[in-house]
Amino acid sequence: MKFRRRQSEEPEINLIPFIDVLLVVLIFLMLSTTYSKFTELQLTLPTADAQQLKDRPAEIIVAISADGRYAIDRNAVEGRSVDLLTAALLQAAQGKQEPVVIVSADAATPHQAVVNAMDAARRANLTRLTFAANKPQ
C-alpha cells in the first residue's frame, strides 16, 4: 500500500478569457451609447434683503424651558395651565393684527409643554403658528 501523498499541482488561473469578455462588453457599450450635450438649467435662486424687516408680521414668541416653564415675549408666565397660557397669549395679542405665534423650545423640552402651548394658541384664536428649535449647547 502506498500512503504517500501525491504532490498536488498548483491551480492555474487563466485571466485571458475574462479580459476578452471585458473588452467585448466595453466595445459594445462604446458602440451602442450615444452622447448628447445638454444646456444648463437656468435657476433663479432666492435672495435675502435686510430692508424687508419692516414688512414682518406681528410676532408673539412663546419660549418653553427644559423644565416646562413658559415665557411669552420675554415675560414669565406664572403657572403651567392652558388657561393661564391662553390669558397671557390674549394679553400679548392685544393691538396686533393676525400675530404669528412662534413656539421656541429645545430637545429637552417636554412634549406636553409644546402641546399645551399649541392648545392655548388655538383657544386664543391665534391660527398662525410656527416653531423654532434651539440647539442644545
Side-chain angles (χ1 to χ4, degrees):
M1 291 193 184
K2 295 183 182 178
F3 291 108
R4 282 182 30 190
R5 280 186 151 180
R6 292 185 192 171
Q7 285 187 344
S8 62
E9 297 177 12
E10 291 190 25
E12 180 181 327
I13 299 174
N14 194 355
L15 293 177
I16 294 174
F18 177 72
I19 294 171
D20 288 344
V21 170
L22 219 100
L23 285 174
V24 168
V25 170
L26 184 65
I27 292 171
F28 172 75
L29 290 175
M30 288 177 61
L31 293 176
S32 65
T33 304
T34 59
Y35 298 98
S36 62
K37 192 174 190 178
F38 291 103
T39 59
E40 294 180 10
L41 295 175
Q42 297 297 325
L43 297 177
T44 304
L45 297 175
T47 58
D49 189 9
Q51 300 298 330
Q52 293 181 351
L53 290 177
K54 297 174 187 172
D55 297 338
R56 284 180 80 173
E59 296 176 346
I60 301 172
I61 299 175
V62 179
I64 308 172
S65 66
D67 59 350
R69 290 181 287 143
Y70 298 95
I72 297 178
D73 288 338
R74 296 186 181 197
N75 298 322
V77 176
E78 298 299 327
R80 298 179 184 185
S81 71
V82 177
D83 294 330
L84 288 173
L85 281 173
T86 304
L89 283 172
L90 285 172
Q91 184 180 4
Q94 286 179 350
K96 297 179 182 177
Q97 281 190 326
E98 296 184 34
V100 175
V101 177
I102 300 174
V103 178
S104 177
D106 62 9
T109 302
H111 181 70
Q112 188 60 43
V114 176
V115 171
N116 288 346
M118 291 169 51
D119 190 29
R122 182 187 55 82
R123 288 184 185 183
N125 291 326
L126 301 171
T127 57
R128 297 176 68 189
L129 186 70
T130 187
F131 298 92
N134 298 331
K135 292 182 180 178
Q137 295 179 4

